[in-house]
Amino acid sequence: MEIDPLIFRLSIFILSIFVGYYVVWSVTPSLHTPLMSVTNAISSVIIVGAIIAGLSGNSDNVFNSSSIFGFLAIALAAINIFGGFLVTQRMLAMYKKKKKDKQK
Amino acid sequence: MISANLSAIFYLVSGVLFILALRGLSSPETSRQGNLFGILGMIIAITVTFLSTGNFSTGFKFVLIFILAGGSIGAFIAYKIPMTAMPELVAGFHSLVGLAAVFVAVSAFLNPEAFNLGTPGNIKLGSLIEMSIGAAVGAITFSGSVIAFLKLQGIMSGSPITFKGQHPLNAIILISIVVLIYLLCSTQSSNLFWILLAVSFLIGFLLIIPIGGADMPVVISMLNSYSGWAAAGIGFTLENTALIITGALVGSSGAILSYIMCKGMNRSFFNVILGGFGATEDASSSSTKEQRPVKSGNADDAAFLMKNASSVIIVPGYGMAVAQAQHALREMVDTLKKNDIKVSYAIHPVAGRMPGHMNVLLAEANVPYDEVFELEEINNDFANADVAFVIGANDVTNPVAKTDPQSPIFGMPVLDVEKCKSVLFVKRSLSPGYAGIDNDLFYKENTLMLFADAKKMTEDITKNL
């Protein structure tokens, strides 16, 4: 009997939920806003699906009904990826310790 | 062109990097490095996708163009957005993730060959289930986040919109989504797929409109969670580990944040979701309202009290952010510190409009993060402090939550501000806060009310110090 590959993916999924649970509980409450913006950015890894969809057209017809949705999804996900990581970076750069503050 | 096995390993690597990105947020020192891990993970995932399709034809150029177009819009927003508007920004970003998930699902439905999922009208059953769940959750995330965005931005009224039969209607729609997915999988009809999307957009809209503006911290966290589950659904369809891991991480992250926010308000998750809070309390509060004497003072009195204190605790709330008083506040604190007065900040879990919002606003005003404390860390210190300076906060300091079981906020964790030797309360008027109840703190012997705009009052105090 062979195991359906779906079961493997499901295992990864369930284990990741547990990893997420413990990792997120250890995030300090003062960084909860950056946590939300960075989860926003990483969930836009959905762009990999969008890229496959965008490249599904052939060279004569780059834009077919399916690839257009792919291209739109690429643009949306890209806004999120750049926006999410950069705004997180901007926020994290503001968190300073007392001593460092005086050196400035 | 790289093999499917190799690309699967790289996707796993980027999944692990995303875990490290979240792990880094356990302290501000490691967080910046964590963010870099996240960026690296994203670069790996995108590069591997290009290599595995091995398609560098005309389509590839357009992919790059769209990435650059979206990326520059995103970068522009990221640099321009004021920190007070973070909740709106995050809600907006959630809607984009949701919509992107819908678009990918639509594309896969129209052209399943490109994803190795079968042929149109004959898509593999498992993939179709995963795809429709991903699309439905994505659509709910999109329309829900749009409503949250409009409410936060003030374009739409923050007050709950309720009507008769709302909950039964929502229940019927949710059941119909399940039925539609079942029918879609048995008939493969594209019409059903479009109907499913339309109904999901509708329910996302209906689920968020009854929730009041001040409950938005829960809503944003919840939509954060949804966007994760949508990504995971698509990840199963595309058999992509990076997407499955990330979806699970984001899904559980949002769920935990929703839980923390609900706990901060002592309300159950369902109580928030069913909505309508804040609209029904007015009647009860106005009947019990009586004229009680308050002591009010001016900036001079406040400065005098603080100058003679040895320790001061600042309690900022959303009102401070509205008045843009955070920079003026930090200047006042700098002056206090020069006079060898110990100053710390106390942050209630629901002090801002989203989890951790107040911490970001203080960090932006150059307040060192090791002077800022969470409720559990600092609550015992109020008894030893000389002055509590409450600026823009109200309900989170109300002692009624500990004493009066009749109160709507009874049981909510509150800051023990009343234990301080004296309390300075900056507020425009005696009007009740979001919960619609009077704050006993206003009438305490040791409370001095400072009726003014938060920013102006803080500046005036600094002048008098």
Side-chain angles (χ1 to χ4, degrees):
Chain A
M1 277 280 279
E2 228 180 296
I3 299 173
D4 191 318
L6 175 67
I7 303 302
F8 288 117
R9 288 193 285 277
L10 200 61
S11 321
I12 294 173
F13 180 63
I14 302 291
L15 291 176
S16 304
I17 292 178
F18 277 92
V19 172
Y21 180 86
Y22 288 107
V23 168
V24 171
W25 270 118
S26 73
V27 171
T28 163
S30 66
L31 291 175
H32 275 162
T33 297
L35 170 69
M36 293 197 101
S37 60
V38 85
T39 51
N40 236 313
I42 64 173
S43 58
S44 300
V45 72
I46 201 160
I47 199 171
V48 301
I51 291 172
I52 298 172
L55 291 175
S56 63
N58 52 40
S59 43
D60 307 324
N61 185 13
V62 177
F63 294 101
N64 59 31
S65 57
S66 145
S67 71
I68 285 176
F69 280 107
F71 284 122
L72 291 177
I74 290 173
L76 296 179
I79 295 178
N80 250 330
I81 292 172
F82 283 74
F85 280 125
L86 289 173
V87 87
T88 310
Q89 196 73 14
R90 206 181 126 201
M91 277 191 274
L92 293 177
M94 298 187 301
Y95 281 80
K96 293 186 195 93
K97 256 190 152 167
K98 226 179 288 182
K99 279 161 200 155
K100 277 182 192 162
D101 211 37
K102 275 177 190 162
Q103 283 168 0
K104 219 177 75 176
Chain B
M1 188 84 184
I2 55 175
S3 78
N5 283 338
L6 191 60
S7 52
I9 289 172
F10 276 116
Y11 283 133
L12 185 61
V13 170
S14 65
V16 171
L17 285 167
F18 291 150
I19 295 175
L20 292 176
L22 299 193
R23 176 71 200 151
L25 291 170
S26 56
S27 97
E29 286 108 273
T30 53
S31 61
R32 285 171 273 256
Q33 190 196 23
N35 202 37
L36 294 179
F37 281 138
I39 296 171
L40 184 63
M42 190 60 74
I43 293 172
I44 291 176
I46 293 176
T47 314
V48 168
T49 311
F50 282 139
L51 292 177
S52 65
T53 57
N55 178 347
F56 293 99
S57 60
T58 351
F60 178 70
K61 280 179 217 145
F62 282 102
V63 171
L64 285 186
I65 290 172
F66 277 92
I67 290 183
L68 285 178
S72 30
I73 298 172
F76 179 77
I77 298 172
Y79 280 112
K80 285 284 166 191
I81 192 91
M83 284 300 142
T84 39
M86 276 316 290
E88 291 96 303
L89 179 75
V90 168
F93 279 171
H94 286 154
S95 72
L96 298 183
V97 179
L99 197 58
V102 172
F103 284 167
V104 173
V106 168
S107 179
F109 186 79
L110 293 174
N111 187 3
E113 285 113 325
F115 297 88
N116 283 325
L117 305 175
T119 53
N122 191 20
I123 300 171
K124 280 188 283 181
L125 180 64
S127 310
L128 192 56
I129 298 174
E130 294 151 3
M131 193 189 292
S132 41
I133 293 176
V137 179
I140 295 172
T141 312
F142 172 71
S143 54
S145 301
V146 168
I147 301 298
F149 175 82
L150 294 177
K151 284 196 172 195
L152 286 164
Q153 190 81 297
I155 298 171
M156 201 172 144
S157 155
S159 56
I161 298 169
T162 48
F163 52 88
K164 233 184 166 179
Q166 191 163 28
H167 300 319
L169 176 70
N170 288 351
I172 291 169
I173 294 179
L174 285 173
I175 293 166
S176 75
I177 286 179
V178 178
V179 174
L180 277 169
I181 292 179
Y182 175 78
L183 290 177
L184 173 64
C185 292
S186 50
T187 64
Q188 303 253 351
S189 146
S190 60
N191 284 338
L192 284 175
F193 187 73
W194 304 123
I195 296 174
L196 172 70
L197 284 182
V199 172
S200 305
F201 280 126
L202 180 68
I203 188 70
F205 171 77
L206 287 173
L207 281 175
I208 307 302
I209 53 166
I211 304 180
D215 275 340
M216 283 300 142
V218 181
V219 172
I220 298 182
S221 319
M222 188 179 82
L223 291 166
N224 187 22
S225 182
Y226 286 1
S227 71
W229 304 130
I234 302 297
F236 274 101
T237 319
L238 306 180
E239 311 184 344
N240 184 307
T241 12
L243 206 41
I244 294 176
I245 294 176
T246 317
L249 288 178
V250 178
S252 48
S253 161
I256 290 173
L257 291 176
S258 318
Y259 170 79
I260 295 175
M261 289 298 107
C262 286
K263 217 173 145 227
M265 298 192 285
N266 189 39
R267 306 205 11 228
S268 77
F269 187 64
F270 286 103
N271 183 284
V272 174
I273 296 303
L274 294 178
F277 190 78
T280 50
E281 314 296 342
D282 303 313
S284 60
S285 66
S286 53
S287 58
T288 57
K289 202 176 267 174
E290 54 193 287
Q291 286 295 322
R292 284 193 278 174
V294 294
K295 279 199 287 184
S296 77
N298 57 26
D300 209 13
D301 306 327
F304 177 79
L305 265 172
M306 285 205 254
K307 234 188 296 185
N308 291 305
S310 62
S311 70
V312 175
I313 298 179
I314 315 263
V315 181
Y318 187 66
M320 178 201 77
V322 174
Q324 294 284 337
Q326 54 270 41
H327 292 274
L329 180 68
R330 207 250 317 142
E331 275 163 33
M332 184 190 90
V333 170
D334 283 349
T335 320
L336 289 174
K337 279 196 268 184
K338 265 182 220 143
N339 293 320
D340 280 329
I341 298 165
K342 185 176 167 276
V343 186
S344 34
Y345 297 80
I347 311 267
H348 191 275
V350 292
R353 275 292 171 91
M354 70 185 289
H357 191 198
M358 203 50 66
N359 302 76
V360 175
L361 294 174
L362 291 176
E364 192 196 14
N366 284 323
V367 172
Y369 64 83
D370 40 6
E371 285 175 12
V372 182
F373 298 93
E374 303 301 317
L375 180 126
E376 308 91 67
E377 296 172 318
I378 201 166
N379 228 4
N380 292 328
D381 297 352
F382 280 107
N384 306 320
D386 297 310
V387 176
F389 186 72
V390 184
I391 175 166
N394 185 358
D395 290 335
V396 298
T397 62
N398 198 338
V400 144
K402 289 176 285 190
T403 52
D404 179 11
Q406 302 299 318
S407 164
I409 62 165
F410 181 71
M412 174 171 125
V414 288
L415 294 157
D416 295 336
V417 173
E418 76 281 1
K419 290 186 182 155
C420 264
K421 288 198 192 78
S422 44
V423 179
L424 295 170
F425 219 114
V426 185
K427 216 172 170 305
R428 282 169 178 277
S429 69
L430 277 181
S431 63
Y434 148 70
I437 47 167
D438 223 5
N439 192 340
D440 271 355
L441 204 54
F442 298 163
Y443 313 104
K444 289 257 157 119
E445 209 28 39
N446 56 353
T447 303
L448 190 66
M449 298 298 295
L450 307 167
F451 294 112
D453 173 72
K455 189 177 177 187
K456 191 162 179 312
M457 175 54 75
T458 319
E459 284 165 352
D460 287 349
I461 295 175
T462 315
K463 274 179 218 148
N464 282 302
L465 276 171

